[in-house]
Amino acid sequence: MSKPKKCILLGATGSIGESSLRVIRKHPDKLKLFGASAHSQAEKLISIAQEFKVTNLHLSRSPDALGSPSLETPINFGGNGLEELAAHPEADLVVIAIVGTAALRPTLAALEAGTDVVLANKESLVLGGRIVTETARRTGARIIPADSEHNAVFQCLQGQNEKSLDSIVLTASGGAFRDLPIERLKEVTPEQSLQHPNWKMGPKVTIDSATMANKGLELIEAHWLFGLPSDKLEVVIHPPSIVHSVVRFVDGCCFAQMSPPSMTFALQNALLYPERCSGVESSLDFSKAMDLSFAPPNLKRYPCLKLARDALTQGGSAPLAFNASNEIAVDAFRLNRIGFLEISDIIDHTLNKMSHAQPNSLDELLATDSYARRLSSDRVDALGK
Ligand code: NDP
Ligand code: MG
């Protein structure tokens, strides 16, 4: 019997982190937690370390966040510790469950070390798609998608000739306000935006689902993972979140992947790939009536989706600016500094202020990212409370 894969879980304390731990807990003969990171939740990281007997630990926020740790194993802080953990020479797999742009450097570090990456984070591909995919190609490390839509596409493509792929249809739930009259969107609060109808996820991705900036980020993510241009990437609203995406082949046949709306299905597929074993949760129950409706998104309700598609079509630094600006706008909305509808205003304003030349290095990329954040913060100050 082969040894369990040694997994490093970056962002172990978040929603994707928890779902990954459920899969690892279920398959101790196949997966071993070998390292873990958190940002602020030190006590939760300690309890994960104790349960899984892990000694490679990193906390990326300052040490004073640690309080009084009751652990024999020291926790590593700050510096390049996250990248060093991601590049650990003994790791077989690095799971990127960190939210936001902070995931870019550790993703690159793992790929540079030649280690396969299970990628849940989408912002790193939107920010650094070219450099991330080029690093993987150069070192031979694989990027196994764990975002449910991209994992669905990944599953549908297994055993197919890549030349037979025509297009991809990404499904979207439509988020918290899919049925709210459009004129009432200006009143919605951060708390209401965090009530997702189908998925239990971290706060940033839940608000991104309500604006459909999430699907916009996923369009760009799909472009880098599967090499298709914008006009071969469709989006459809599918309220039950059972079909996780559809692949259309050149002969017109479509393949879809279906499972209940829980991330354990995509994560288990990615973590155990290419093996399939019994799942953490029950499969779909076809003895009961099931709705599988699909409808095109109304771009008046979801302006962030249009902005993301335009950014993908424009290329250069436009996707990066979309991502940076969205992060600033979502933070400002969560702090009640701006209204829900101003999220798209801030992104639009930032995209219009920039020239979108292609950054040629990681430093240039990060400098452009900082510039986009500055422009967006200025716009928040101009609009906000
Ligand atoms: P959460 O907010 O629940 O968790 C985020 C994790 O990242 C936590 O472990 C957090 O640490 C850590 N973290 C936060 N900021 C930093 C930082 N600056 N540096 C290092 N680590 C940090 O997010 P989710 O689990 O929901 O999402 C994670 C990623 O996966 C996102 O990119 C999201 O878009 C993507 N995704 C999520 C899905 C979901 O179902 N949740 C579905 C598909 C994709 P701590 O808690 O200790 O502060
Ligand atoms: Mg998704």
Side-chain angles (χ1 to χ4, degrees):
M1 206 177 75
S2 59
K3 284 192 184 154
K5 291 185 204 174
K6 289 183 182 167
C7 304
I8 292 184
L9 178 55
L10 304 184
T13 45
S15 163
I16 291 287
E18 279 178 15
S19 297
S20 304
L21 291 173
R22 289 179 72 190
V23 175
I24 294 172
R25 210 176 269 122
K26 164 101 183 170
H27 298 289
D29 52 330
K30 310 262 176 218
L31 301 166
K32 161 141 188 61
L33 189 68
F34 181 69
S37 86
H39 187 55
S40 57
Q41 298 195 70
E43 294 298 334
K44 194 164 171 184
L45 181 65
I46 289 168
S47 93
I48 293 168
Q50 284 169 337
E51 178 189 345
F52 290 89
K53 303 193 178 16
V54 183
T55 52
N56 299 303
L57 301 170
H58 182 82
L59 190 74
S60 44
R61 230 170 82 173
S62 68
D64 56 1
L66 192 54
S68 52
S70 49
L71 186 74
E72 298 102 42
T73 307
I75 297 185
N76 181 6
F77 308 104
N80 295 329
L82 199 55
E83 283 105 294
E84 282 163 19
L85 182 56
H88 197 296
E90 284 181 53
D92 296 311
L93 210 52
V94 177
V95 186
I96 309 287
I98 290 174
V99 63
T101 307
L104 177 62
R105 282 184 187 277
T107 303
L108 285 173
L111 293 171
E112 196 62 60
T115 310
D116 289 347
V117 160
V118 165
L119 189 63
N121 173 282
K122 52 200 87 182
E123 295 90 342
S124 54
L125 266 184
V126 176
L127 169 66
R130 188 178 302 272
I131 188 168
V132 168
T133 50
E134 277 174 9
T135 306
R137 252 194 304 277
R138 177 164 49 73
T139 65
R142 285 182 301 196
I143 302 172
I144 307 167
D147 200 347
S148 56
E149 296 76 4
H150 307 76
N151 179 264
V153 172
F154 177 74
Q155 291 194 45
C156 292
L157 289 175
Q158 297 304 313
Q160 301 291 333
N161 181 334
E162 65 183 61
K163 291 202 183 97
S164 55
L165 170 63
D166 176 70
S167 50
I168 287 172
V169 186
L170 298 176
T171 51
S173 68
F177 308 124
R178 67 184 175 211
D179 300 321
L180 195 74
I182 291 184
E183 58 280 6
R184 292 195 45 208
L185 285 176
K186 61 177 180 303
E187 307 154 13
V188 303
T189 64
E191 293 68 33
Q192 292 167 325
S193 313
L194 289 169
Q195 305 305 314
H196 196 285
N198 306 346
W199 296 92
K200 195 174 164 301
M201 309 185 284
K204 157 92 177 12
V205 61
T206 306
I207 293 177
D208 284 352
S209 294
T211 61
M212 271 181 85
N214 181 51
K215 214 49 55 181
L217 294 171
E218 290 181 358
L219 276 176
I220 303 167
E221 184 185 8
H223 162 75
W224 287 111
L225 287 170
F226 306 112
L228 291 181
S230 171
D231 63 351
K232 292 287 182 182
L233 297 168
E234 298 167 44
V235 171
V236 69
I237 304 265
H238 170 57
S241 300
I242 287 173
V243 171
H244 295 296
S245 276
V246 177
V247 169
R248 184 183 287 108
F249 293 102
V250 286
D251 59 1
C253 294
C254 294
F255 280 20
Q257 184 268 329
M258 298 163 72
S259 46
S262 164
M263 284 304 294
T264 61
F265 294 94
L267 282 162
Q268 171 156 323
N269 178 270
L271 283 160
L272 294 182
Y273 175 80
E275 254 189 284
R276 286 192 190 265
C277 300
S278 70
V280 173
E281 293 172 86
S282 306
S283 181
L284 295 168
D285 180 357
F286 285 91
S287 69
K288 298 194 179 117
M290 201 187 294
D291 163 38
L292 286 183
S293 55
F294 299 94
N298 174 353
L299 295 180
K300 289 209 172 67
R301 180 183 290 282
Y302 301 112
C304 291
L305 180 59
K306 179 174 185 322
L307 290 168
R309 189 181 282 287
D310 291 348
L312 174 59
T313 309
Q314 189 165 3
S317 67
L320 170 170
F322 174 87
N323 173 59
S325 182
N326 181 52
E327 282 192 20
I328 296 290
V330 170
D331 281 347
F333 173 61
R334 288 182 68 192
L335 293 170
N336 276 313
R337 293 197 60 210
I338 59 165
F340 183 77
L341 294 180
E342 284 158 353
I343 295 176
S344 60
D345 173 296
I346 287 165
I347 300 171
D348 193 19
H349 176 86
T350 306
L351 285 166
N352 281 326
K353 286 262 173 192
M354 292 177 63
S355 62
H356 304 309
Q358 175 66 49
N360 287 317
S361 65
L362 182 57
D363 286 345
E364 254 182 66
L365 201 79
L366 295 174
T368 314
D369 180 74
S370 301
Y371 179 58
R373 280 166 200 272
R374 236 178 5 257
L375 287 175
S376 306
S377 298
D378 290 347
R379 183 68 175 171
V380 169
D381 291 342
L383 290 174
K385 297 176 203 154

